[in-house]
Amino acid sequence: MGAVNTAAPSGEDIAWFRDGVSLAATARGAASTLARRVGLSSHRSAEVALAVTEAATNIQRHADDGALLLRVVRAGDQAGVEFLTVDSGPGMTDVPAALADGTSSAGTLGIGLGAVSRLADQFDLHSVPGRGTVMAARFWPRTAGAPALVTSPELSTVGGVTRPISGETVCGDAWAVRTDDRDSAGDRPATLVMLCDGLGHGPLAARASQAAVRAFHETRDHSPAGALEAVHRALRGTRGGAVAVARIEPAAGRLLYCGIGNISGFLLGDGGRRALLSAPGIVGAHMRRLRTFDEPLPAHGALVMHSDGLTERWDHATLPGLLHHTPLVMAGQLLREAGGRRDDAGVVVIKGAW
């Protein structure tokens, strides 16, 4: 078998910071420490801390309920820092105006969201008036005045986020992505994505989901059913979990999907959403005979997979313009819209891979 390219960026969830009087100070300190730990220069680390402080202060001043996720991202041998803010609140009626130079909320550092967008190597914001705002920014290594060391647009085709149940610091949901360019023949390579919801929550659930991630990356079987079988073997002796694996084949214009348990999958397009089926069972304990479903890829669409920590009562048509945003911001909006705090939650979105 040919080699499988696993150079797609991976995200390491570091910490969620909930809205409160200490949010800005706590997030700033954590961002500065994290940036230095992954090797960003002192100048770049200060830029990351400044941007995180501005974003956190905006949550404090304007959101009814909000949180900030801070994490490491990796692409090849490069490491960077990424933050995601998710809030329920008044939203923004005029996003371009909010991003204009000189616009800053009272009580923030005064640099404004426009400056945050320029400091970041990748930036996106989606706001729905009356419901809330999601903002994401990614920072790669660079020296003052120089371009980032990571510039590939392919880094924006996948985005995922996990959030632990209230009271826990580790999450039992996990996702992973890899690409298979053996038969791409110059076309976009096939993309495989997996989402695992370890049974229960806490460290034992996290142990199961991380075992699933390792097995998914290590298997040399490129089919959804084959990858799921590898995960099944790896989860024996753990709590087990619900798992789904999807394979996107741009050249064939199709999606292959195989799932066991309560993982929800949807193909989104301008015409609505199409549900993807999973069979009952527990990966690592007992599975029925696996069945792979073949679905056509919608033009200019997206694939969404999420655990039962999100309800299925969301409708992307009520979130105007969502499909025009990055996968990470899409994932954040769905988490804001449908995620609960009484269970681990995980959602991954792929868009622009076909």
Side-chain angles (χ1 to χ4, degrees):
M1 290 185 176
V4 173
N5 174 17
T6 58
S10 62
E12 302 171 14
D13 288 10
I14 299 301
W16 280 95
F17 300 89
R18 293 290 300 275
D19 189 10
V21 294
S22 64
L23 173 63
T26 302
R28 178 187 177 94
S32 178
T33 299
L34 184 62
R36 291 195 302 270
R37 180 169 68 80
V38 300
L40 299 189
S41 67
S42 58
H43 178 81
R44 191 63 172 145
S45 297
E47 291 179 333
V48 172
L50 184 62
V52 166
T53 306
E54 181 77 11
T57 305
N58 270 282
I59 291 176
Q60 288 179 301
R61 293 196 59 83
H62 300 294
D64 297 327
D65 179 38
L68 183 146
L69 170 68
L70 187 65
R71 67 184 180 184
V72 175
V73 287
R74 299 186 187 277
D77 60 355
Q78 296 294 331
V81 174
E82 179 174 72
F83 74 77
L84 175 76
T85 63
V86 179
D87 75 64
S88 298
M92 301 179 187
T93 57
D94 190 343
V95 171
L99 295 176
D101 286 340
T103 301
S104 179
S105 301
T108 69
L109 294 179
I111 66 170
L113 295 181
V116 173
S117 71
R118 288 195 301 276
L119 290 174
D121 297 301
Q122 291 174 296
F123 177 88
D124 191 24
L125 184 151
H126 182 245
S127 190
V128 182
R131 292 167 76 170
T133 301
V134 173
M135 176 170 58
R138 183 175 289 181
F139 304 81
W140 293 109
R142 67 158 80 158
T143 56
L149 296 180
V150 179
T151 58
S152 172
E154 296 303 315
L155 296 176
S156 297
T157 61
V158 59
V161 60
T162 62
R163 183 178 66 193
I165 186 174
S166 294
E168 288 283 358
T169 58
V170 295
C171 185
D173 292 0
W175 62 276
V177 64
R178 57 195 290 207
T179 57
D180 176 9
D181 57 7
R182 295 172 305 149
D183 302 315
S184 60
D187 297 322
R188 290 187 175 184
T191 300
L192 293 94
V193 59
M194 182 213 66
L195 179 64
C196 176
D197 177 358
L199 291 188
H201 53 80
L204 293 180
R207 177 187 168 211
S209 63
Q210 290 306 313
V213 168
R214 288 192 297 272
F216 174 75
H217 280 303
E218 291 170 1
T219 183
R220 296 184 65 81
D221 195 316
H222 311 103
S223 68
L228 193 48
E229 286 282 9
V231 171
H232 177 61
R233 293 190 295 272
L235 264 57
R236 289 173 181 159
T238 74
R239 283 186 172 182
V243 181
V245 179
R247 178 183 171 94
I248 296 168
E249 298 182 344
R254 69 175 185 173
L255 171 83
L256 302 177
Y257 188 87
C258 185
I260 295 290
N262 293 328
I263 298 294
S264 298
F266 298 94
L267 281 171
L268 307 188
D270 292 333
R273 72 181 194 182
R274 185 162 71 251
L276 304 168
L277 300 179
S278 290
I282 300 174
V283 180
H286 52 84
M287 298 195 308
R288 294 185 178 183
R289 182 177 178 181
L290 296 178
R291 181 179 177 186
T292 299
F293 294 91
D294 188 329
E295 296 283 349
L297 293 169
H300 313 296
L303 168 66
V304 174
M305 297 164 63
H306 65 74
S307 69
D308 61 0
L310 286 76
T311 72
E312 295 185 354
R313 296 191 298 271
W314 53 268
D315 181 0
H316 68 288
T318 67
L319 303 169
L322 184 65
L323 278 171
H324 298 294
H325 287 268
T326 61
L328 179 57
V329 163
M330 289 180 64
Q333 276 289 20
L334 295 179
L335 181 66
R336 182 200 60 76
E337 190 79 0
R341 297 203 179 267
R342 288 188 279 184
D343 195 3
D344 293 333
V347 54
V348 59
V349 177
I350 292 186
K351 187 188 74 129
W354 67 87

